[in-house]
Amino acid sequence: MNSQKDIHLYTASTMNGWKPVVFLEEAGVEYDLTHIDFSKNEQKAPDYVKLNPNGRIPTIVDRSNNDFVVFESGAILWYLAEKYGKFLPSDPNEKSRTLQWLMFQMGGVGPMMGQAMYFQRIAAKNGNEDPFAIKRYVDESRRLLEVLNTHLKEKEFLVNNEYTIADMATYTWARAYYWANVSVDGLPYLQAWFDRIDERPATQRALEIPKPFWAFFGKGDIEAQERENAERFKSDVRK
């Protein structure tokens, strides 16, 4: 008997890495998991790069679809949502709105907050502090969170008061405002959205797979996890 699951997920405990985990846990889809260890540079291993030419995580292989490979976290969410018919509205306009907010995260929230995190938590901790870059990315991250706050006024979720892949993608990044040193003071609708998703057991369970990294969210042994994070990306600073 073949015990392999339809979906084989390659990922790690990062904001992008958690996105497909959130979907799979919320949808109740069984999957096989391979943890990509950045400290061993496994994302650059030849066999993995054959799957994901960009050498990043996450990646999925759909065994039920002739081992079809999907990389890029937003594309993975879209693929899974269409495959399983979940967390994506059927109405064409609402579907488009979901894609718009997904792209807002992919093109804005993720890259800007990611750079804010990188320059403060990795580059600076490895002796390469750049105050101009830090201010630029922290300020832009705050602006994007303000956009979300305004949009979420009188809304429970990003699209039509329905939890969708747009929320899944955005939550893993925006909720890590602590790690980016971006204030959420004065953003009550955003914080209420955090609270609603914080209460979803499947989403919270996903944040512990492959392993928790609670420092991203201002919890646990922050100093130890900050050292670990800075060390595992040390080679990126030297390039």
Side-chain angles (χ1 to χ4, degrees):
M1 181 177 178
N2 189 348
S3 62
Q4 288 186 332
K5 310 300 188 295
D6 287 349
I7 300 297
H8 188 167
L9 169 64
Y10 298 80
T11 197
S13 297
T14 70
M15 293 74 181
N16 285 335
W18 279 314
K19 292 178 193 175
V21 188
V22 171
F23 179 95
L24 293 166
E25 292 292 324
E26 284 278 358
V29 174
E30 293 186 345
Y31 57 99
D32 288 323
L33 174 70
T34 295
H35 178 199
I36 300 298
D37 190 338
F38 295 144
S39 69
K40 298 177 181 177
N41 218 28
E42 290 179 347
Q43 74 277 18
K44 301 298 183 183
D47 286 348
Y48 183 74
V49 173
K50 287 180 182 178
L51 300 175
N52 187 328
N54 196 32
R56 296 288 190 269
I57 57 95
T59 301
I60 63 167
V61 177
D62 185 352
R63 296 181 176 124
S64 67
N65 185 19
N66 298 312
D67 289 338
F68 187 71
V69 178
V70 187
F71 66 95
E72 287 298 318
S73 59
I76 291 171
L77 285 175
W78 193 265
Y79 179 87
L80 291 172
E82 291 203 314
K83 176 181 176 68
Y84 292 105
K86 294 186 176 183
F87 305 110
L88 185 63
S90 57
D91 177 81
N93 288 350
E94 297 303 298
K95 193 173 186 178
S96 175
R97 290 188 180 97
T98 304
L99 179 60
Q100 291 170 51
W101 285 104
L102 177 61
M103 293 300 101
F104 176 80
Q105 184 281 306
M106 295 293 295
V109 175
M112 294 301 103
M113 292 191 73
Q115 292 296 332
M117 295 171 186
Y118 175 84
F119 279 101
Q120 294 176 91
R121 302 290 184 177
I122 298 173
K125 297 300 179 181
N126 283 291
N128 291 272
E129 187 165 3
D130 187 335
F132 179 85
I134 291 171
K135 184 178 187 306
R136 186 266 190 284
Y137 290 117
V138 168
D139 287 353
E140 179 62 5
S141 296
R142 168 68 190 202
R143 187 190 71 80
L144 293 169
L145 294 186
E146 290 172 357
V147 172
L148 288 171
N149 182 71
T150 299
H151 178 70
L152 286 163
K153 185 178 181 180
E154 300 180 355
K155 291 184 177 67
E156 291 188 9
F157 298 107
L158 290 174
V159 181
N160 197 29
N161 293 322
E162 176 184 349
Y163 190 57
T164 69
I165 57 173
D167 298 285
M168 295 176 183
T170 308
Y171 173 81
T172 60
W173 279 101
R175 187 64 178 82
Y177 62 86
Y178 172 87
W179 197 247
N181 282 322
V182 178
S183 172
V184 294
D185 291 348
L187 304 180
Y189 309 115
L190 178 69
Q191 294 187 61
W193 178 73
F194 289 153
D195 291 342
R196 282 188 285 275
I197 301 178
D198 286 349
E199 294 174 357
R200 298 182 69 94
T203 294
Q204 297 311 305
R205 184 169 63 247
L207 299 181
E208 298 187 1
I209 301 171
K211 65 178 183 178
F213 202 96
W214 293 119
F216 287 157
F217 310 105
K219 304 174 184 178
D221 190 340
I222 294 170
E223 290 186 6
Q225 292 202 311
E226 185 176 47
R227 288 194 299 270
E228 175 191 336
N229 189 69
E231 182 62 29
R232 68 178 176 169
F233 292 109
K234 193 172 185 178
S235 62
D236 290 344
V237 179
R238 292 197 297 263
K239 291 178 181 179

